[in-house]
Amino acid sequence: MIHYEQARSKVVEEVGKRKGPRATTVANVWDALGLVLAQEVRTDREYPPFDRSTRDGYAVRSSEAVPGARLKCGGEIKAGDTVREALASGTCLQIMTGAAVPANADAVVMIEHTCREGDLVCFEQVAQAGQNIVPRGSEAAAAQTILTPGIQLGFAELALAAQVGAVELQCAQRPRVAILSTGDEVVLIDKTPGPFQIRNSNSVSLAAQVRIAGGEPVVLGNAADRIEDLGEKIERGLREDALVLSGGVSMGKYDLVESVLKAMGAEFFFDAVAIRPGKPAVFGMCQGKPVFGLPGNPVSTMVTFELFVAPAIDLLSGAEARALPLVEARLVEAMKEKPGLTHFLPARLKWHGAVPEVKALKWQGSGDITTLSKANCFLVVPADREKMEIGESVSVLLRKDVV
Ligand code: AMP
Ligand code: MG
């Protein structure tokens, strides 16, 4: 059975191979969070546009502001003030954070390091040339490319675009990801299930995960465990950029997803991964579209989405596949697991000092979303480990939505 990292690489390889130019859309900077940029953004002028004071204090000639010196204060410069006059020798100017430093001043002395005697300002420390000044053009030159196609727009990138006046941004369209749950026992979430039925929670978690990954969910409802119904709804799903199914990929008599996909011409790259939960996960290409058959147990669906579907959505968005959000943590409770599969166990991570601490939560297995709702990560137990001791360094997969 394939290791989850190999399975993930396979997804990246196969989806990456078919990566074509994405259709684009113009998005306003207010609405572009999470989109992938499809254009270059350049500066409209130098940044900062003037020598900028980073402190409230006095603009000086550093050679004059020596310990014990007294300089006459010739006025003040506020942020936004137009500064035309150069600093006269033997004087200083009171200056505020964000204001332009006048010509001939080469340092700003923090107000805390001065004292005032009427018109005079006394200096207590040596001033270094350049201190507390960000020189004009030192962050970016004029017409410099500051954002490139393929980057995902987060709050910093959006602020940068806003700073240079790039209000409308050419972005890749979000990939449309069809979501199809399967199972005769599954009912709509607004219906009262019969005593042995369950509501379709997977379509809801998958839609949320698609959104977080940068895709546009297209929820197709539920297919019964019948070849015709599955075939029809899969056909519909293949009109989108990718199709994600939940359920119907295990060994049961009514697990028909793989065989229906096969009959529709799918080529599979894996149909089992050495993980728990999520072992029966399937990935293939069908009629040119990536198709994922995720096991139906809710936590299995969630874990396998993060491992295998999220990188495909990155690629389909025109970005690079992001690495898994794995961090090292210190185990605070010893544990035992059956070896052979890599386990992803609901766990709680706490930041205590330099090294975070993690503890697996007691749970009822891969159907237990009650416990998962209390977890902020998955503790990754390697396949060859049967016992893990208190204090060991372990790997933790963060839940992107809550950490
Ligand atoms: P399956 O992978 O089809 O064998 O389903 C495994 C388990 O997941 C069963 O207990 C199902 O009832 C449950 N399950 C399947 N689909 C869903 C769904 N859409 N929402 C919530 N649970 C599901
Ligand atoms: Mg089923």
Side-chain angles (χ1 to χ4, degrees):
M1 224 184 317
I2 186 171
H3 189 267
Y4 82 88
E5 281 168 359
Q6 279 172 283
R8 200 177 147 84
S9 302
K10 200 72 205 159
V11 171
V12 171
E13 184 190 327
E14 294 301 328
V15 179
K17 259 190 215 168
R18 292 161 176 84
K19 189 173 157 181
R22 292 283 314 154
T24 62
T25 176
V26 175
N28 190 280
V29 74
W30 292 106
D31 305 318
L33 180 66
L35 289 175
V36 173
L37 193 63
Q39 64 163 91
E40 284 193 343
V41 176
R42 291 169 181 268
T43 50
D44 56 331
R45 54 178 180 168
E46 292 176 291
Y47 283 90
F50 48 83
D51 296 333
R52 182 179 61 208
S53 174
T54 62
R55 293 285 187 272
D56 295 316
Y58 292 94
V60 298
R61 298 170 183 233
S62 57
S63 58
E64 295 180 349
V66 294
R70 284 178 160 70
L71 298 173
K72 187 171 181 303
C73 182
E76 64 170 36
I77 310 169
K78 303 193 300 292
D81 281 355
T82 303
V83 177
R84 288 208 186 84
E85 274 170 45
L87 179 69
S89 174
T91 71
C92 61
L93 284 163
Q94 188 162 13
I95 192 165
M96 318 302 154
T97 302
V101 177
N104 293 343
D106 67 348
V108 170
V109 178
M110 285 165 70
I111 200 152
E112 296 89 327
H113 299 155
T114 65
C115 59
R116 191 82 191 234
E117 290 169 2
D119 264 5
L120 296 177
V121 182
C122 357
F123 293 87
E124 296 159 357
Q125 297 180 359
V126 174
Q128 306 289 339
Q131 76 179 26
N132 301 325
I133 299 173
V134 182
R136 168 179 178 165
S138 62
E139 291 169 3
Q144 184 182 323
T145 300
I146 44 163
L147 295 170
T148 49
I151 64 140
Q152 198 172 27
L153 296 166
F155 54 79
E157 292 73 21
L158 292 173
L160 187 57
Q163 176 175 259
V164 303
V167 177
E168 303 284 327
L169 297 165
Q170 198 76 35
C171 295
Q173 276 178 17
R174 293 184 188 281
R176 290 171 55 90
V177 180
I179 295 169
L180 179 60
S181 73
T182 73
D184 289 343
E185 75 280 33
V186 176
V187 301
L188 292 172
I189 59 169
D190 54 2
K191 292 280 176 296
T192 305
F196 303 106
Q197 293 179 318
I198 52 164
R199 292 194 183 92
N200 187 357
S201 66
N202 282 350
S203 288
V204 174
S205 59
L206 284 171
Q209 286 180 288
V210 166
R211 280 219 173 82
I212 292 169
E216 171 88 36
V218 182
V219 179
L220 300 181
N222 185 69
D225 293 317
R226 275 188 295 108
I227 289 170
E228 312 77 60
D229 197 32
L230 274 167
E232 253 166 53
K233 288 177 175 150
I234 288 173
E235 196 77 60
R236 165 69 189 85
L238 292 172
R239 281 189 237 147
E240 306 302 341
D241 297 310
L243 169 61
V244 179
L245 293 119
S246 92
V249 288
S250 310
M251 302 300 285
K253 189 172 159 198
Y254 297 98
D255 291 326
L256 303 169
V257 166
E258 226 179 313
S259 57
V260 171
L261 282 168
K262 198 168 182 101
M264 295 171 79
E267 179 190 358
F268 296 109
F269 300 101
F270 57 80
D271 65 358
V273 186
I275 52 173
R276 178 172 292 147
K279 191 169 98 174
V282 174
F283 164 60
M285 284 286 175
C286 190
Q287 301 173 19
K289 304 288 172 66
V291 177
F292 299 86
L294 309 182
N297 262 313
V299 183
S300 313
T301 315
M302 293 171 193
V303 168
T304 49
F305 182 97
E306 282 312 303
L307 296 179
F308 310 123
V309 187
I313 294 179
D314 283 341
L315 293 166
L316 293 169
S317 309
E320 301 278 307
R322 283 169 286 187
L324 278 177
L326 289 167
V327 298
E328 292 295 308
R330 205 179 76 87
L331 193 62
V332 294
E333 211 174 80
M335 50 189 298
K336 258 180 106 172
E337 277 302 325
K338 240 165 84 186
L341 301 172
T342 303
H343 289 250
F344 291 86
L345 304 171
R348 192 86 208 154
L349 187 76
K350 274 192 192 152
W351 273 266
H352 275 313
V355 185
E357 294 184 342
V358 68
K359 182 175 151 182
L361 302 178
K362 297 210 169 17
W363 71 322
Q364 298 302 319
S366 54
D368 184 1
I369 41 180
T370 312
T371 298
L372 196 63
S373 74
K374 299 183 179 86
N376 58 3
C377 66
F378 296 95
L379 201 163
V380 186
V381 184
D384 58 355
R385 296 299 304 275
E386 201 172 344
K387 276 189 187 160
M388 308 241 278
E389 306 296 343
I390 292 180
E392 266 197 59
S393 175
V394 293
S395 191
V396 160
L397 176 67
L398 299 178
R399 259 184 70 185
K400 288 179 201 151
D401 51 349
V402 292
V403 180

